[in-house]
Amino acid sequence: MAEILTPDLCVIGAGSGGLAVAEAARAHDASVVIVEKGRLGGNALHIGATPARALAAAADHAQALREAPLFGISAEELKVNFRKVHDHVNAVIAALSPAQAAPRFEALGATILAAEGRFVDKRTLVAGDTLVRARHFVIATGGRAEVPAIPGLDAVPFFTTDTILDNTRKLTHLVVVGGGPLALQLAQSYRRLGSEVTVVEAGLFLPDADPELAAVVLKRLAEEGVRLLPSSSVAAIQARSMGIGVSVNAPDGEVALDASQILVATGRWPMLDGLDLDKAGIRRSKADPTHLQLNRAGRTSNPAVFAIGEAAGTDMVHAARRQAAQVVRSALFGLPAASDPLAVPRVLHTDPELAEVGLSERAARTRHGLGFRVTRLSFADNDRARAARTPYGVVKLITTRSGRLLGAGIAGPGAAELGALFALALASGTTVAQLATLAAPYGSYAEIVNRLADLAVTQAPNPILTRLLSLRRLLG
């Protein structure tokens, strides 16, 4: 006879988002069941964001050696041992794994079922020999790499974003198919580690980012030797005795590439197969059947079931963790949990980084017409950036004409940290005038915030003080 569990919350999938749900629920003493057939930690820890950042850190050190002569330092010939780079990546994963391992969550009081879960009705999930009848369910199954239909692709070995971080050898010429954020991050890392890299993108690179900020990043990648082919498509792939032939349809005609390896990075799909969603009354999106139909709170068409992370179409780890807190708030306590995606920083982890939060200039124009201002400051005006010889980049502040903060965008060193600061300012209702009083230490990138806010305040003077000054002038 099957065991029956009746927890407050059942989390399907143990990636970073799912584990954040479980931890938050246990903090409120809610009973939790985690259903995960694979390793706890999910894509982000084992094959995604974490190893990608570890690889980028190694690549950053290689680039620092190349640029050392600019600082009067002679560096010996650069040598990259890919096996040891891979060992570094694995060491980072190993160091972070205990915090996301089964013993820790069992110690927190969660029950873990090492099995694949599927719904049998609207309130019941089966996992192995166990039935789970929870008050609420959270689908946190993550995503998988999309593999497009390209003639000849199935005849050659290729990487996806799920597999390339297992690579242990130098890639002579890596052709990246797809130009999204992770694709560009990996492209820059491999270029800095000594590979020739070409990126083929069917549309524009970074179409969702502010064009001015995206241009800063793309210019840097091109300067480092990453070949970027926008508005281009792979027409065919041919297996050869030595290497791989890649035919690309580009705006200026056909481009023939001799590749050693191919990375397919055209996007990711939510992992929803095998859940028997129909039996739970969970509908998929009419616009895109690969995604779920969700409301702003992340609730599916079954009121007892939520979705977060890549299963909900979100590809940022920090966004999934924010969703986790909101889902727990809604599921356990029935409190409002509608989220504003603009409040979460959108970050591209290249060098320079790109971060945006709140309204972009394009979005502000749509919502406010001419009733907004854009204030800019170059990293070239920051002493720390000058000292580090990283003066490229810009920070943009989007405000109403009265000075209310609407959003911010950064392309430059430390963009993620500055993005977090602006996110806090937006969430707390901090005014631009208050930002101008930030006690930023000298020699920090945060000084940009002071100067930028000062400029914004100057553009939008306080009407009360303006009237007071006019009155004092009249009175002599």
Side-chain angles (χ1 to χ4, degrees), residues 10-22:
C10 176
V11 184
I12 311 164
S16 57
L19 293 180
V21 169

Side-chain angles (χ1 to χ4, degrees), residues 159-207:
F159 294 112
T160 69
T161 51
D162 287 341
T163 62
I164 191 169
L165 291 162
D166 288 329
N167 175 56
T168 60
R169 58 196 178 95
K170 181 179 178 179
L171 308 182
T172 306
H173 181 192
L174 178 65
V175 173
V176 182
V177 183
L182 182 55
L184 292 180
Q185 180 183 338
L186 291 170
Q188 185 177 44
S189 292
Y190 269 95
R191 178 58 188 156
R192 288 182 164 189
L193 292 170
S195 301
E196 183 182 352
V197 179
T198 302
V199 186
V200 182
E201 167 56 45
L204 298 176
F205 286 104
L206 305 177

